[in-house]
């Protein structure tokens, strides 16, 4: 079997989720290893700024969001990861390398060039609406996968070679595809009863940033008061304090960390949380409208426009807006049904486009020449 190395970053869950989505699709055809070659300092830095200094994260994002500054950042970052990259490549001897992180693009190509290797390298963009300049610096990849129409257009405008740029969809982990195929009223009712919730109530799946970017407590209490027929599946992750706080609160199920997150999400009527693209596309795959409540400044601002443009849900950045919207959705079901129709339209397009990913990668592997020709 072929060996594929997927490079990602543990700074937030989004890059890892995409890496896992690719792994799920490729496992039958290859041995897959997912690796973050960065030092622990970068993980600590992200956790700290996402909890206590989002302004700093925004400043760093904006600082490197220009072609020459992005290139400087890549040149600084390359020697910091090159040793671990070389070790991984030497150990695995991969037939292909894929990245889901912009600061493992130029860095990889420089490492491969230094080792005089011609291993096919593939980049998967991880933004739906806008592309940070760090993605646009490296154009030598054997294939660049653009998961939305918007990013495909931006890459074309930036000068990516047409024969190595592919319009695909946004991949999600297999569990979401399975739940989308199996979802029905009976399954939903069983899950909600298991959680101690009422299958006849309007159900919200509420989640914030995996690194503590959103604070739940006050929001949950206020939202519950919007209507007596509203209930919340509260994704608390590893936050035991939050679990304990809502353990015995009526119409709330504090969901502890689980890797099978698609099951409770599929049981909800809407998905609500930070405007991260992976959670958005997981909701789309399940056919659920998304309610964006917050975002990482700079990095996720364009996601709000993407949600509005494609009518994938609503943007409610204040507690009053969220309260009012949920009240309307409970009392006027037609509003939800109308939004579900536009979500379904995008879901069908994205599913068809995402199915193209595996054939593209298989062709690159079989060509064995860096994939200069499109399949």
């Amino acid at each position: 079997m072929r060996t594929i190395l997927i490079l990602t970053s543990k700074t937030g869950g989004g890059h890892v989720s995409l890496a896992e989505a690719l792994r799920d699709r490729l496992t039958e055809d290859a041995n897959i290893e997912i690796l973050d070659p960065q030092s622990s300092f970068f993980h600590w830095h992200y956790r700290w700024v996402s909890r206590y200094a989002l302004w700093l994260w925004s400043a760093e994002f904006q600082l490197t969001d220009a072609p020459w500054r992005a290139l400087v950042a890549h040149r600084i970052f390359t020697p910091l990861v090159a040793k671990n990259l070389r070790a991984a490549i030497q150990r695995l001897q991969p037939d292909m390398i894929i990245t889901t992180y912009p600061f493992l693009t130029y860095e990889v190509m420089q490492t491969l060039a230094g080792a005089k290797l011609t291993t096919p390298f593939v980049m998967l963009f991880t933004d739906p609406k806008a592309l940070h300049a760090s993605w646009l610096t490296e154009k030598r990849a054997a294939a660049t996968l653009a998961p939305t129409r918007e990013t495909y257009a931006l890459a074309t405008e930036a000068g990516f070679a047409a024969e190595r740029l592919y319009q695909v969809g946004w991949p999600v982990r297999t569990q979401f595809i399975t739940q989308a195929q199996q979802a029905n009223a009976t399954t939903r009712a069983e899950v909600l009863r298991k959680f101690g919730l009422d299958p006849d109530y309007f159900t919200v799946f509420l989640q914030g940033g995996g690194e503590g970017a959103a604070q739940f407590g006050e929001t949950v209490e206020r939202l519950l008061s919007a209507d007596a027929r509203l209930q919340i599946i509260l994704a608390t992750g590893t936050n035991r304090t939050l679990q304990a706080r809502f353990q015995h609160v009526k119409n709330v199920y504090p969901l502890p960390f689980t890797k099978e997150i698609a099951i409770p999400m599929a049981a909800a009527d809407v998905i609500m949380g930070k405007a991260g693209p992976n959670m958005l596309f997981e909701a789309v795959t399940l056919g659920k409208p998304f309610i964006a409540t917050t975002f990482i400044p700079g990095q996720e601002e364009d996601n709000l426009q993407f949600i509005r443009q494609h009518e994938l849900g609503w943007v409610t950045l204040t507690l009053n807006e969220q309260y009012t919207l949920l009240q309307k959705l409970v009392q006027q079901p037609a509003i939800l049904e109308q939004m579900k129709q536009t979500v379904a339209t995008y879901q069908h397009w994205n599913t068809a486009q995402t199915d193209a990913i595996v054939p593209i990668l298989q062709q690159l592997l079989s060509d064995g020449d860096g994939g200069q020709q499109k399949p």
Side-chain angles (χ1 to χ4, degrees):
M1 293 184 71
R2 305 277 192 165
T3 297
I4 298 177
L5 171 62
I6 302 179
L7 298 171
T8 192
S9 173
K10 295 178 182 177
T11 51
H15 301 291
V16 176
S17 292
L18 275 174
E20 291 176 345
L22 291 174
R23 178 197 61 196
D24 287 354
R25 289 174 177 269
L26 294 167
T27 297
E28 292 184 3
D29 302 307
N31 296 314
I32 311 294
E33 178 157 334
I34 297 175
L35 175 70
D36 180 352
Q38 301 172 103
S39 73
S40 58
F41 167 79
F42 294 99
H43 310 148
W44 171 86
H45 173 71
Y46 178 80
R47 285 195 299 270
W48 189 86
V49 297
S50 66
R51 290 177 181 175
Y52 308 113
L54 278 177
W55 63 269
L56 178 57
W57 183 263
S58 178
E60 293 173 352
F61 183 89
Q62 298 293 342
L63 180 64
T64 56
D65 194 18
W68 71 270
R69 291 199 297 266
L71 180 58
V72 169
H74 278 299
R75 288 174 172 170
I76 293 173
F77 198 64
T78 297
L80 301 179
V81 296
K83 180 179 178 181
N84 288 342
L85 281 175
R86 286 195 298 268
I89 293 170
Q90 184 176 9
R91 173 173 59 87
L92 294 171
Q93 298 291 305
D95 298 285
M96 175 181 286
I97 301 174
I98 306 173
T99 186
T100 66
Y101 187 56
F103 283 100
L104 291 171
T105 53
Y106 175 91
E107 294 76 2
V108 175
M109 289 303 298
Q110 291 299 102
T111 301
L112 289 173
K116 298 182 179 180
L117 295 173
T118 59
T119 308
F121 177 55
V122 178
M123 304 193 312
L124 171 62
F125 293 146
T126 54
D127 297 301
K129 178 67 176 175
L131 288 174
H132 189 269
S134 56
W135 277 117
L136 304 176
T137 303
E138 182 53 68
K139 299 183 177 69
R140 295 172 292 174
T144 299
L145 308 181
T148 63
R149 300 178 185 92
E150 289 83 353
T151 53
Y152 184 84
L154 288 171
T156 299
E157 183 180 346
F160 279 72
E163 68 273 15
R164 290 182 279 119
L165 175 64
Y166 299 84
Q167 170 71 85
V168 296
W170 195 283
V172 298
R173 289 167 288 176
T174 298
Q175 59 176 292
F176 291 94
I177 300 171
T178 301
Q179 284 302 309
Q181 295 169 343
Q182 297 178 350
N184 56 60
T186 301
T187 302
R188 176 181 183 276
E190 290 174 352
V191 171
L192 292 177
R193 289 194 183 98
K194 179 182 177 182
F195 292 166
L197 300 176
D198 191 328
D200 295 326
Y201 279 21
F202 187 92
T203 306
V204 177
F205 181 94
L206 177 59
Q207 186 178 51
E211 295 291 351
Q215 299 298 322
F216 288 123
E218 181 182 347
T219 299
V220 175
E221 293 172 348
R222 178 71 191 283
L223 295 181
L224 284 174
S225 66
D227 195 286
R229 297 164 294 173
L230 185 147
Q231 59 191 7
I232 296 174
I233 300 173
L234 178 60
T236 60
T238 57
N239 190 327
R240 295 184 180 180
T241 301
L242 197 61
Q243 291 174 25
R245 178 174 179 177
F246 289 97
Q247 191 66 51
H248 302 291
V249 175
K250 184 181 179 182
N251 292 343
V252 178
Y253 176 72
L255 178 72
F257 174 79
T258 174
K259 290 188 176 182
E260 298 300 320
I261 196 69
I263 295 175
M265 286 177 66
D269 294 292
V270 294
I271 311 300
M272 191 171 184
K274 186 173 71 70
N278 281 286
M279 189 176 182
L280 170 62
F281 281 97
E282 289 164 357
V284 168
T285 300
L286 294 172
K288 309 292 181 179
F290 188 83
I291 302 175
T293 60
T294 187
F295 61 95
I296 296 177
Q299 182 176 336
E300 294 177 342
E301 288 182 54
D302 289 304
N303 297 352
L304 306 180
Q305 185 181 350
F306 187 87
I307 293 169
R308 294 187 181 107
Q309 176 185 341
H310 293 285
E311 298 183 86
L312 303 179
W314 301 269
V315 175
T316 57
L317 302 181
T318 69
L319 192 49
N320 285 338
E321 289 176 331
Q322 296 155 21
Y323 176 94
T324 301
L325 174 62
L326 288 181
Q327 198 171 52
K328 287 182 179 179
L329 293 179
V330 176
Q331 297 172 5
Q332 303 176 50
I335 298 176
L336 177 66
E337 292 305 314
Q338 183 177 357
M339 187 63 74
K340 287 172 67 175
Q341 293 176 17
T342 55
V343 171
T345 298
Y346 199 96
Q347 175 196 43
H348 294 152
W349 178 86
N350 190 68
T351 298
Q353 292 296 122
T354 306
D355 287 343
I357 292 177
V358 171
I360 290 169
L361 299 182
Q362 289 174 333
Q363 186 65 51
L364 287 174
L365 286 168
S366 64
D367 286 347
D369 62 353
Q372 297 303 307
Q373 299 297 320
K374 284 193 175 184

